[in-house]
Amino acid sequence: MTVAEETEVTLAVGQQKELAVAPDSAVRPPDREMHAILEIGVRSPDRPARTGAPAPGTGPALAEVLIIDTSRSMLHPAAKLRAAKDATVAAVRMLPDGTAFAVLSGHFDATLVHPGPGSAVLSVAGPAEREAAERAVRILDADGGTAIGTWLDLARRLLRDQPAPVKHVLLLTDGRNEHDHRAAMALDTALDACEGRFVCDAWGIGDDWDAELLLRITRRLHGRARAVRAESELTAAYEELVAGLLGTAVPELRVRITPTPGTVIREVKQVVPNEQELPPVPAGSGGRGVEYVTRAWGDEVRHFQVVLTADPTGRETGEDLQLAAVEVVVPDYGRPVRLPAPQPVLVHWTDNPRDASRQYPGVRRHELYQQASAAVAGAYRAWLRGDDGRDTADRELARALALAEELGDTQLLGALRLIEAAPGTGRVRTGLKDVDWQHLILSSALTTPPEPPAATPRTPAPRAAGPDAAHAAARPPDGRPAEPAAAAPPGPAVPVRPDGLVECPGCQWLGPAESVYCGGECGRLLRGAPA
């Protein structure tokens, strides 16, 4: 297998290393939180990065459940139900032979439209099954209410025993989950049961869907929330989404973080292309490592924020120490994957408050997105109060516009300007509908990295032996320079013992000969350090 035939995964760690040893005042304790941004990229063989999705059928096996909202409101206007049928049929037609799939309709409960009520297994795509599914979808009618937890729970049960590496649910609704109280399973209970079982993308259609509901679902189920402004746009949107699923390069990717003793992992979350909390799972090695599962990667780059805490007491100052090692792990799914070497998250304890006050730009960028999203939410809440909230809505909109300008996010700026009365006024225009704000809330939940400079060639790093072999960060996948540790000399100055290990002179930790930083108590630099 040649390098060109492998899927490549890249990893870069960006951070500001300096943290204060002592408080800068008698009342405020030192900031001992280390924030780092992990930039992870996936690139399929023989395809340039960040291109459109490949032809259907070229990706790994997919198990797909399509959920159509068939509550009574889908008939007001009836164009919503027609669009839902057309888009669902288009998605089914794209499924390659052998793909496991099902179509559900949702109202007060969930009904298996295809392969039919009472079936406990998914259908398998082929000409006859696709045609049967289309016939069943075409005759759907709408009645009843909206109870999304029940819909998701049926999807979970259908996907439970599926061996496909990519399990996905595509949910469409025009409503606000108004009948959760009378559902067989409440939404919160369903999300608890479904988390980690499949990826769910949720779409809104019409004029009465709830952006916060869609975000609540997709943040728990690691998907994305979207909506169409016109019913006629839905089919093309579904086709694009399914094509992307069929082009999935890596079904599952795990971020493994191994802290040194005394370091605590406080939080790990995805921050680009949208914010998602990642629950920890124990690493398989049984050591200190913790893993964070992400799913369904195409050719793309995602950013993750890691927050660590450590106590400087007894630690050396004036040198870089390792707080944790970061590693990317991909379970075997029958295709070759070239993984990056593990990399360190470092700390440089300092008593210089100016050094300790600097913030890594990637961390600052995510904070600006959080502020912009909060400003949009504040403007919407004020707008709901009518004349009483007009001044507040204007102030919050102006703040969101300023933040979007600072971020250089043209998509968010465009969405905000649809709300603005006239360019440059910073005032909310009259005649808005609630759905206009729902679209803006979804737009404010999307995040983008800064525009990269012209890309420079990269030399892939070799695969290292383990998490303690972390080395200086390579250039990020999109070509932007990170702020990693300085590159270490090729060989360790600490002598290799006869048993093939190196012993840290500071804390007597034993580790692989390739180790750059101590993985024990002190976390000091080993390569390039005096013996």
Side-chain angles (χ1 to χ4, degrees):
M1 181 66 64
T2 66
V3 169
E5 295 172 310
E6 294 177 321
T7 295
E8 179 187 9
V9 180
T10 55
L11 167 66
V13 178
Q15 63 172 128
Q16 180 65 39
K17 296 177 292 185
E18 287 79 11
L19 285 183
V21 171
D24 57 11
S25 72
V27 295
R28 189 175 68 84
D31 181 4
R32 290 164 176 171
E33 280 193 351
M34 172 57 68
H35 294 249
I37 298 294
L38 314 181
E39 190 167 322
I40 300 177
V42 170
R43 181 176 176 176
S44 299
D46 301 322
R47 281 167 45 201
R50 301 187 179 202
T51 60
T58 59
L62 169 71
E64 180 69 25
V65 175
L66 299 117
I67 304 178
I68 307 172
D69 185 337
T70 55
S71 61
R72 187 179 296 110
S73 59
M74 286 289 285
L75 295 175
H76 305 286
K80 290 187 290 187
L81 186 58
R82 288 196 298 271
K85 293 179 180 181
D86 290 344
T88 302
V89 166
V92 169
R93 287 174 177 173
M94 293 180 67
L95 299 178
D97 288 354
T99 302
F101 78 101
V103 180
L104 311 184
S105 72
H107 28 86
F108 285 130
D109 55 13
T111 302
L112 188 56
V113 175
H114 185 82
S119 177
V121 296
L122 301 186
S123 177
V124 178
E129 289 297 322
R130 284 190 290 265
E131 290 176 10
E134 179 173 352
R135 288 194 300 271
V137 168
R138 291 296 185 196
I139 62 173
L140 281 175
D141 201 356
D143 195 13
T146 303
I148 294 176
T150 304
W151 312 352
L152 291 172
D153 184 58
L154 178 54
R156 177 191 65 83
R157 286 183 277 124
L158 289 168
L159 290 168
R160 180 170 47 204
D161 298 323
Q162 279 298 313
V166 179
K167 300 179 181 68
H168 183 262
V169 172
L170 179 49
L171 168 69
L172 175 73
T173 182
D174 74 331
R176 295 178 176 264
N177 202 37
E178 294 169 324
H179 301 96
D180 193 58
H181 63 285
R182 56 184 289 186
M185 179 174 285
L187 180 57
D188 283 339
T189 305
L191 291 175
D192 289 341
C194 295
E195 186 172 11
R197 306 295 181 180
F198 55 80
V199 173
C200 179
D201 288 313
W203 284 75
I205 190 172
D207 292 336
D208 197 34
W209 49 273
D210 182 356
E212 289 298 336
L213 172 65
L214 301 186
L215 290 169
R216 178 179 160 202
I217 293 169
T218 55
R219 283 170 175 163
R220 288 290 302 277
L221 303 183
H222 292 198
R224 299 184 191 178
R226 312 179 207 189
V228 290
R229 291 186 180 273
E231 287 84 358
S232 59
E233 299 171 354
L234 188 63
T235 293
Y238 267 34
E239 289 174 339
E240 181 180 2
L241 186 148
V242 173
L245 287 169
L246 296 174
T248 298
V250 175
E252 179 181 302
L253 181 153
R254 296 186 173 215
V255 181
R256 178 180 294 167
I257 300 177
T258 305
T260 56
T263 299
V264 177
I265 304 171
R266 294 298 182 190
E267 184 180 35
V268 177
K269 62 182 176 182
Q270 178 180 290
V271 294
V272 173
N274 55 350
E275 183 173 315
Q276 290 180 346
E277 297 293 336
L278 301 178
V281 297
S285 61
R288 296 190 305 270
V290 179
E291 292 181 349
Y292 299 84
V293 181
T294 67
R295 302 182 191 278
W297 286 70
D299 280 15
E300 60 181 307
V301 175
R302 301 183 195 175
H303 293 190
F304 303 85
Q305 183 173 5
V306 175
V307 182
L308 307 173
T309 57
D311 188 343
T313 304
R315 301 296 180 117
E316 296 185 47
T317 60
E319 66 173 284
D320 291 348
L321 304 177
Q322 179 171 296
L323 289 180
V326 180
E327 186 176 9
V328 175
V329 180
V330 175
D332 181 20
Y333 66 104
R335 295 190 178 191
V337 179
R338 181 155 44 105
L339 296 176
Q343 302 204 26
V345 178
L346 304 176
V347 66
H348 190 107
W349 296 110
T350 178
D351 54 11
N352 185 331
R354 178 174 298 179
D355 288 343
S357 67
R358 292 182 295 173
Q359 187 177 43
Y360 182 66
V363 175
R364 170 64 177 166
R365 186 172 180 83
H366 179 58
E367 289 181 355
L368 292 178
Y369 270 114
Q370 289 180 316
Q371 294 171 22
S373 182
V376 167
Y380 173 56
R381 288 193 300 268
W383 175 82
L384 289 173
R385 300 192 340 247
D387 290 343
D388 291 342
R390 182 175 300 171
D391 290 343
T392 302
D394 289 343
R395 285 195 303 271
E396 295 289 351
L397 176 62
R399 174 160 173 72
L401 283 161
L403 290 164
E405 288 277 9
E406 184 175 350
L407 287 162
D409 190 324
T410 56
Q411 180 190 28
L412 180 55
L413 275 171
L416 288 164
R417 285 171 179 154
L418 293 174
I419 299 294
E420 192 179 17
T425 63
R427 297 178 63 85
V428 176
R429 69 179 173 89
T430 59
L432 288 173
K433 297 179 179 179
D434 190 87
V435 71
D436 297 319
W437 288 98
Q438 301 306 318
H439 281 285
L440 177 59
I441 291 168
L442 288 191
S443 294
S444 70
L446 297 175
T447 56
T448 63
E451 285 296 319
T456 56
R458 289 181 296 107
T459 302
R463 184 69 168 89
D468 297 310
H471 65 72
R475 184 173 297 277
D478 65 1
R480 293 187 300 106
E483 194 171 320
V494 177
V496 179
R497 301 173 4 145
D499 58 6
L501 301 176
V502 292
E503 181 175 351
C504 173
C507 67
Q508 285 71 57
W509 171 83
L510 296 177
E514 301 89 350
S515 299
V516 176
Y517 285 90
C518 169
E521 295 284 348
C522 69
R524 69 193 299 168
L525 180 69
L526 298 179
R527 250 179 229 199

